[in-house]
Amino acid sequence: MADLSYISCPKTDYIRYMSIPDILQERKNEAPEKEIFVQRFEGGGRRSLTYAELLKRSTHIAKYLTARGIVPGDCVAIIGPNSIEWIIGQFAILLTGAVSVQVHKTSESFAETAKLLKSTHSKAVLLDPESDENYISDMEAYFTSEKSPKGKPIVLLLQKSALSSLPSMTDAILTTEEEVVALPKIQPESTAIIFTTSGSTGVPKMVEMTHLSIGNASSATFMGIGGGDRSYGTCYNDRPFTWMASSPIFSILNGNKRVFVDTAIGMKKENIMVIWDIIMSEKCTNAMLLPYALLEIIDNLDVILKHGYVLYAIGTGGQHVGSHLTAICGTCTEKFFMGYGCTEVGGVSSIELTKEMEEGHVGSLFPGCEVKVIGGNGATLNRGQLGEILVKSPWILKSYRSSPELNAASFAEGGWFRTGDIGNITVDGKLFVKGKSNDVIMRGGLKVLTRVVEVAMSKLPGVREVVVISVPDDRLLEEVCACYILDEDVNTSEYELDKKCRAILGDNVLGSTPSYFLRFDKFPRLRNGKTDTKLVKSQAMERLERG
């Protein structure tokens, strides 16, 4: 059986049969005054939470919600940017025994929020509308108008707003009777969090995770410390709290202080030195950064090195990592790690990257994980063959809530989760990820993997970022288009790029070289910092049609 595409890593740690609030209580008892979360601001301000403060303030809000009818199993949505209040709200929901429905607020209208609250059957919502006047106006009308729908959820603003009359967490005053409300004992197998992910139909996929699975995720150390092989330290991580891999819960699980800012601050290219100053002033040992931030560090490496501050480790993930990013190795960080996984399964593996990295190799599995690669007929392939990657572990999602069709399509026999990733396991047992099944472009009868093209082009001198997309073609049905950004003061022509790609990828008939090259000055980004590939494709289509 050694020739089949299957690898595993046995789980050796004991199972922590506890709910997340129980783990928080345990941490508070061990070190009540330990600073566990630090929020920093662009202007230099600082706020923090100790274990004792977090438990006290979240218990207060939990009693407020319980007194207003929230019971174990109810869905309570939480929407807003990273903040101290968000963390308090998150643990308050969990303390009630309710299910935290985590939603990352984008620039959508409140009508979209109302639609989501309805689709998730949320009985309450903890919400930070920020300073969006139109959003707040519509929000006020929804919650206060006599014409608003019956059965609308309880609302509590995470932060008080001068633009809103709705109650906030600072207004949550308890009566004498409410002060002594007993919070429930929570079963570890009960659902803790629903992570909402984007759905192609406009309705989010709701990834349901239990207290037990989150509390025992073997990748928790990697996610809590932001990468690295140490189980302690202070981590800078400005990724959205609503992401599975960026949940503040992992800091509680590991006892690692987390320093963060609002993701919108960290996304700005001009703020990279602001971020580095925060890392230095908070004496961070580790940082979790997306690839675009790593590029900005490389661009400013001369200035950064003058400070003489070196991190122990930088971790990354969530997007393709090319070998060009290993320029940070041994400069401002001793080590550089990448994690592989997804919302539904959490972390699957990690690898320390070096300048000799093998593109696509995602490293060693976390304990408890099993991986196999299957073909189109569902059978496990022989090692070396390319197919779909399936994952199994005790800590994967419970289910997609209220979506039996999606559950049926996402799980194979034996409890294996279909990741949708394409890859292979080599003869010597290495797992390689080549792309996603929905990122395969069918050019005539030939399959072109977008990630393979992106990896190849990212290695070309002067190429900063690449997004490869499919575009319609009358004859071949789909064609390959490379959207790219060059380094400043680089003027490589499309002809030169085409020539270099052909040398690596073959031609654009039997090989994988793009037929179209479109230069961008910058890529649009989602609010969470990732490249907005849908908008890149829309802009590319406009340019090609005009051409």
Side-chain angles (χ1 to χ4, degrees):
M1 297 296 286
D3 59 338
L4 291 177
S5 292
Y6 169 87
I7 53 175
S8 65
C9 181
K11 183 162 181 64
T12 55
D13 295 340
Y14 75 97
I15 293 176
R16 186 159 42 184
Y17 192 72
M18 303 168 70
S19 69
I20 294 167
D22 287 340
I23 295 170
L24 173 58
Q25 180 68 59
E26 185 177 77
R27 290 295 187 191
K28 179 261 182 183
N29 293 342
E30 293 170 349
E33 300 310 314
K34 179 177 178 178
E35 198 174 57
I36 188 63
F37 295 111
V38 176
Q39 181 177 7
R40 292 294 302 263
F41 299 90
E42 198 169 353
R46 183 185 195 273
R47 300 167 64 208
S48 67
L49 276 176
T50 65
Y51 282 122
E53 290 168 338
L54 174 56
L55 184 57
K56 179 181 178 180
R57 295 175 66 180
S58 57
T59 297
H60 181 89
I61 300 302
K63 290 184 175 183
Y64 179 91
L65 293 172
T66 299
R68 280 146 190 81
I70 298 302
V71 298
D74 283 347
C75 284
V76 177
I78 183 165
I79 307 171
N82 292 0
S83 68
I84 290 292
E85 288 74 18
W86 195 102
I87 297 170
I88 294 167
Q90 162 78 305
F91 281 93
I93 296 169
L94 297 175
L95 282 161
T96 68
V99 178
S100 175
V101 181
Q102 300 193 168
V103 183
H104 188 75
K105 180 181 177 293
T106 61
S107 57
E108 289 131 0
S109 66
F110 181 77
E112 289 298 313
T113 298
K115 180 180 176 182
L116 186 139
L117 294 175
K118 183 178 180 181
S119 69
T120 58
H121 305 288
S122 293
K123 298 290 183 66
V125 56
L126 305 184
L127 176 61
D128 183 353
E130 301 177 81
S131 56
D132 187 331
E133 293 186 18
N134 291 332
Y135 187 98
I136 291 173
S137 176
D138 292 342
M139 177 184 73
E140 288 274 316
Y142 178 84
F143 285 111
T144 62
S145 172
E146 294 180 1
K147 297 180 181 179
S148 59
K150 291 183 179 180
K152 58 182 178 289
I154 300 164
V155 61
L156 195 62
L157 299 185
L158 289 168
Q159 303 197 60
K160 198 168 184 66
S161 171
L163 301 175
S164 174
S165 62
L166 294 172
S168 69
M169 290 205 305
T170 56
D171 303 319
I173 308 299
L174 300 180
T175 65
T176 303
E177 292 78 14
E178 291 168 348
E179 285 276 8
V180 295
V181 166
L183 295 176
K185 180 66 178 176
I186 300 159
Q187 293 297 311
E189 289 92 349
S190 62
T191 300
I193 294 176
I194 291 176
F195 294 95
T196 55
T197 66
S198 58
S200 58
T201 62
V203 178
K205 293 185 288 185
M206 296 192 287
V207 180
E208 190 171 353
M209 307 291 288
T210 67
H211 288 264
L212 190 65
S213 63
I214 294 173
N216 289 278
S218 58
S219 56
T221 296
F222 181 89
M223 293 189 282
I225 195 62
D229 50 4
R230 288 179 180 172
S231 59
Y232 58 91
T234 297
C235 179
Y236 174 85
N237 185 350
D238 61 21
R239 298 302 88 221
F241 290 160
T242 51
W243 287 11
M244 169 65 164
S246 300
S247 172
I249 290 172
F250 293 111
S251 296
I252 298 294
L253 295 179
N254 296 309
N256 305 125
K257 183 195 292 188
R258 175 168 174 174
V259 179
F260 67 93
V261 297
D262 182 340
T263 301
I265 296 172
M267 276 181 59
K268 296 176 183 175
K269 182 177 181 180
E270 63 271 20
N271 278 347
I272 190 61
M273 291 311 302
V274 173
I275 299 307
W276 195 257
D277 285 342
I278 291 172
I279 287 171
M280 291 190 296
S281 65
E282 294 291 340
K283 297 181 173 57
C284 295
T285 56
N286 294 50
M288 182 69 90
L289 301 167
L290 280 179
Y292 73 84
L294 299 178
L295 285 170
E296 288 153 15
I297 285 178
I298 292 170
D299 287 345
N300 292 274
L301 203 51
D302 289 345
V303 179
I304 287 172
L305 292 179
K306 287 179 181 178
H307 291 283
Y309 193 84
V310 179
L311 287 163
Y312 172 70
I314 289 178
T316 192
Q319 288 180 276
H320 163 66
V321 177
S323 57
H324 60 298
L325 295 178
T326 60
I328 66 169
C329 293
T331 57
C332 59
T333 181
E334 293 180 35
K335 297 188 175 186
F336 180 31
F337 292 87
M338 178 187 71
Y340 165 64
C342 62
T343 301
E344 289 86 347
V345 299
V348 175
S349 66
S350 70
I351 184 171
E352 181 179 350
L353 302 178
T354 66
K355 293 178 181 179
E356 293 75 39
M357 68 176 282
E358 299 176 273
E359 297 281 359
H361 182 209
V362 295
S364 303
L365 300 185
F366 291 120
C369 287
E370 300 174 70
V371 171
K372 69 176 180 177
V373 179
I374 64 169
N377 62 358
T380 305
L381 297 172
N382 288 330
R383 290 195 174 190
Q385 293 182 294
L386 202 64
E388 184 184 1
I389 297 171
L390 273 60
V391 174
K392 184 162 65 170
S393 85
W395 324 123
I396 63 176
L397 76 161
K398 182 178 181 180
S399 69
Y400 290 108
R401 177 163 285 204
S402 304
S403 188
E405 298 85 1
L406 186 56
N407 283 317
S410 300
F411 286 91
E413 185 178 355
W416 289 91
F417 180 76
R418 308 179 71 111
T419 65
D421 290 334
I422 293 174
N424 67 286
I425 295 172
T426 61
V427 173
D428 56 352
K430 293 181 179 178
L431 174 62
F432 282 77
V433 178
K434 302 294 186 179
K436 298 196 75 66
S437 57
N438 57 1
D439 289 337
V440 176
I441 300 174
M442 293 299 297
R443 179 161 59 188
L446 180 72
K447 292 182 179 180
V448 177
L449 297 178
T450 60
R451 185 170 177 180
V452 169
V453 181
E454 289 170 352
V455 167
M457 288 191 64
S458 69
K459 292 181 178 179
L460 299 178
V463 176
R464 181 180 177 86
E465 290 186 71
V466 184
V467 173
V468 174
I469 61 170
S470 67
V471 295
D473 185 82
D474 291 339
R475 187 171 69 89
L476 301 175
L477 295 182
E478 288 185 306
E479 258 296 2
V480 182
C481 175
C483 304
Y484 63 95
I485 299 172
L486 296 178
D487 289 332
E488 292 181 11
D489 303 322
V490 173
N491 290 304
T492 305
S493 68
E494 291 180 12
Y495 172 78
E496 291 173 308
L497 284 178
D498 178 73
K499 184 177 178 181
K500 290 175 180 177
C501 283
R502 287 170 184 266
I504 303 170
L505 299 166
D507 60 22
N508 64 343
V509 179
L510 298 178
S512 298
T513 290
S515 294
Y516 302 99
F517 294 86
L518 295 178
R519 181 174 177 177
F520 283 66
D521 293 326
K522 62 180 180 180
F523 288 145
R525 300 208 184 272
L526 298 168
R527 187 165 176 170
N528 59 23
K530 289 188 177 182
T531 302
D532 189 340
T533 53
K534 290 183 179 179
L535 189 51
V536 170
K537 181 168 183 174
S538 175
Q539 293 176 357
M541 292 294 295
E542 283 186 20
R543 289 170 60 178
L544 289 172
E545 288 173 5
R546 288 172 186 168

